[in-house]
Amino acid sequence: MMEKLFHLKENHTDVKTEVMAGITTFMTMAYILAVNPNILSAAGMDAEAVLIATSLAAFIGTMCMALMANYPFALAPGMGLNAYFAYTVVLTMGYSWQMALLAVFVEGIVFIILSLTNVREAIFNAIPMTLKSAVSVGIGLFIAFVGLQNAKLIVNSDSTLLTYQHFKGETFHSVGVGALLALIGVLIIAVMLIKQVKGAILYGILITWVLGIVCELAGIYIPDPDAGMYSVIPTAFVSFDFSALGKTFGQVFNLDFSNFNLVNFIVVMFAFLFVDLFDTLGTLIGVASKADMLDEDGKLPRIKGALMADAVATSVGAVLGTSTTTTYVESSSGVTVGGRTGLTAATTAFLFLLASIFSPLFLTIPSFATAPALIVVGFYMMGAVAKINFDDMTDAIPAFLTILVMPLAYSISEGIAIGIISWTLINVLTGKAKEKNITPLMYVLTVLFILKYIFL
């Protein structure tokens, strides 16, 4: 059965190797189960419902990857995309979370259509490589910034907009201790990553949480609900009650169109699609090259099946009640220990399904324990800055503006818009349009984004 489904001998692997690889992949990306409810609850969504939806979306998406493409890649709601969903689309632009889910659902449908055609390659090739790299870096800074805020390490200032946490004062035993534990969490994860500990991010979250429990038991950390600091001691460990999912399941179709703006909606949907498309392709190629799965032309066989799994998971995830589901670069951890087929992915999928019964445990994990994960994931995404050619200012300046705008405007889509506009205009005005081979699609996107700023 396993051989027929996953062609283990053909891929020079066996059941034991694949199962161990699947467990490794799960351990390195299970932090999303603690982080995603934390982020999406900021948009007004029920944290328990989001956790169950996250588990199910990861299970369905990863199983689709196993059966549709036979690759050892795992999927779950994407970092960066969940922050964009909560902090930009809902909290900044004022959309309801139901409307944001609709944008994710539509994006998934568009992605399915693109995966069946060659339009996907056309879009991918139309965007200059420097902007693709800049988007990754910008998202990294953005989610690291969100992590610093969630830990309350960076706080509001009336004079400078932002400042660092002042630890002295009456809030030290709540906010202050949480911020200090977040710093310790970053240090713990950094040391484990350098020591090449598998699952370093997940272990970092758990150790920081345990330290929080110790501090609360010792009276050092005192919960203060008014300051958003709650008890970190779990009162339950497992639950077989999945009724909370009803608070998000199908809500994508329960909408109020009274304040609906079609142009704004398209911009939001495009931002989801843009990031998902390039993030997925980049991850697939990166992880596949690590596993030596690319053919002699540098292409990934069965890529349409892999992209289709990603697209289907995105729309299904939106119906369940979570932000865009995408392929995880952490899949490389399973590949590193020998994962080569869909059996690795199927193992990871099963573990995500199993994790859904531990929802009470994951929901007790405080934001100061998940914040170090956001900061470290941001660090990982910063690596793409090395791919930007800073000697060519027609590339470097738009890339810099893209990176700068995302965290400062608190919006991934604004960074993308500014990057595309500046890249096109700078190259046209300096006479480099023909040299840079600007595609018609880039001109169309530039005009659309300019019109957005004029009329919206």
Side-chain angles (χ1 to χ4, degrees):
M1 175 86 173
M2 294 293 184
E3 181 60 41
K4 188 176 180 181
L5 268 177
F6 303 115
H7 308 288
L8 301 178
K9 290 180 182 176
E10 182 184 322
N11 288 281
H12 309 292
T13 186
D14 54 49
V15 172
K16 182 182 177 181
T17 301
E18 295 291 299
V19 170
M20 288 304 298
I23 294 171
T24 302
T25 297
F26 174 78
M27 290 298 292
T28 56
M29 60 185 284
Y31 66 86
I32 192 63
L33 293 169
V35 174
N36 205 43
N38 199 294
I39 290 178
L40 296 191
S41 61
M45 300 178 73
D46 181 83
E48 186 177 357
V50 171
L51 192 146
I52 297 169
T54 300
S55 301
L56 294 179
F59 166 71
I60 293 168
T62 307
M63 194 59 79
C64 282
M65 181 66 75
L67 300 177
M68 296 170 71
N70 194 26
Y71 279 133
F73 309 143
L75 294 84
M79 292 296 299
L81 287 159
N82 53 6
Y84 172 66
F85 180 105
Y87 299 107
T88 299
V89 180
V90 177
L91 296 180
T92 303
M93 298 177 72
Y95 280 107
S96 66
W97 57 264
Q98 291 91 339
M99 190 66 75
L101 284 176
L102 179 63
V104 173
F105 177 78
V106 172
E107 177 248 317
I109 298 298
V110 173
F111 202 172
I112 289 172
I113 296 169
L114 294 179
S115 298
L116 293 170
T117 67
N118 293 323
V119 177
R120 171 181 42 80
E121 283 88 356
I123 295 175
F124 186 74
N125 294 332
I127 309 295
M129 191 63 216
T130 186
L131 289 186
K132 294 172 189 170
S133 299
V135 166
S136 179
V137 176
I139 291 174
L141 279 178
F142 180 67
I143 60 177
F145 182 41
V146 169
L148 291 170
Q149 287 182 301
N150 286 356
K152 294 180 172 57
L153 283 162
I154 295 296
V155 294
N156 177 67
S157 167
D158 292 335
S159 57
T160 61
L161 293 181
L162 298 170
T163 188
Y164 64 92
Q165 175 64 247
H166 294 278
F167 292 100
K168 293 180 180 179
E170 58 187 44
T171 61
F172 171 75
H173 285 289
S174 56
V175 174
V177 171
L180 283 173
L181 287 172
L183 285 174
I184 293 170
V186 173
L187 187 63
I188 290 168
I189 293 174
V191 170
M192 286 196 290
L193 286 173
I194 292 166
K195 293 290 186 179
Q196 298 183 336
V197 176
K198 301 296 181 187
I201 293 178
L202 177 64
Y203 289 139
I205 291 173
L206 296 176
I207 292 170
T208 306
W209 179 29
V210 169
L211 289 175
I213 292 172
V214 172
C215 287
E216 184 173 342
L217 291 172
I220 300 169
Y221 171 76
I222 301 172
D224 181 1
D226 292 336
M229 308 301 290
Y230 303 96
S231 174
V232 299
I233 300 173
T235 56
F237 292 90
V238 296
S239 172
F240 294 94
D241 179 9
F242 301 106
S243 60
L245 184 63
K247 296 175 183 176
T248 58
F249 182 79
Q251 292 299 306
V252 64
F253 306 116
N254 183 20
L255 301 165
D256 177 9
F257 287 95
S258 56
N259 296 316
F260 183 75
N261 184 305
L262 181 60
V263 177
N264 242 348
F265 181 81
I266 291 172
V267 170
V268 170
M269 189 277 294
F270 174 77
F272 277 126
L273 179 65
F274 183 95
V275 177
D276 190 16
L277 183 67
F278 297 124
D279 185 54
T280 299
L281 283 168
T283 299
L284 286 174
I285 298 301
V287 178
S289 60
K290 190 179 183 75
D292 198 26
M293 292 176 175
L294 303 180
D295 63 21
E296 57 272 12
D297 297 321
K299 295 179 180 178
L300 181 64
R302 308 189 304 282
I303 192 170
K304 281 194 174 181
L307 288 168
M308 183 62 73
D310 197 292
V312 168
T314 291
S315 288
V316 171
V319 174
L320 289 167
T322 185
S323 53
T324 306
T325 302
T326 189
T327 308
Y328 261 57
V329 72
E330 282 84 353
S331 303
S332 59
S333 63
V335 165
T336 302
V337 296
R340 289 296 180 272
T341 74
L343 181 54
T344 292
T347 302
T348 304
F350 175 75
L351 290 172
F352 268 113
L353 184 64
L354 189 64
S356 62
I357 69 171
F358 293 97
S359 58
L361 200 60
F362 282 109
L363 291 172
T364 314
I365 299 175
S367 57
F368 64 73
T370 57
L374 296 178
I375 295 167
V376 172
V377 170
F379 154 74
Y380 270 124
M381 299 184 76
M382 282 293 294
V385 76
K387 299 176 183 177
I388 298 170
N389 180 14
F390 285 97
D391 292 328
D392 182 351
M393 281 200 266
T394 58
D395 273 355
I397 293 174
F400 167 72
L401 292 173
T402 301
I403 295 167
L404 184 70
V405 167
M406 283 189 189
L408 296 187
Y410 220 65
S411 171
I412 292 171
S413 58
E414 296 304 329
I416 293 170
I418 294 299
I420 287 175
I421 291 171
S422 60
W423 189 85
T424 304
L425 292 183
I426 287 173
N427 279 289
V428 168
L429 294 173
T430 55
K432 298 283 186 74
K434 188 173 287 187
E435 179 188 327
K436 290 297 177 72
N437 192 26
I438 301 178
T439 62
L441 179 61
M442 284 297 288
Y443 286 116
V444 170
L445 291 175
T446 300
V447 171
L448 287 175
F449 283 133
I450 291 173
L451 290 174
K452 167 187 176 294
Y453 287 117
I454 293 173
F455 294 108
L456 298 178

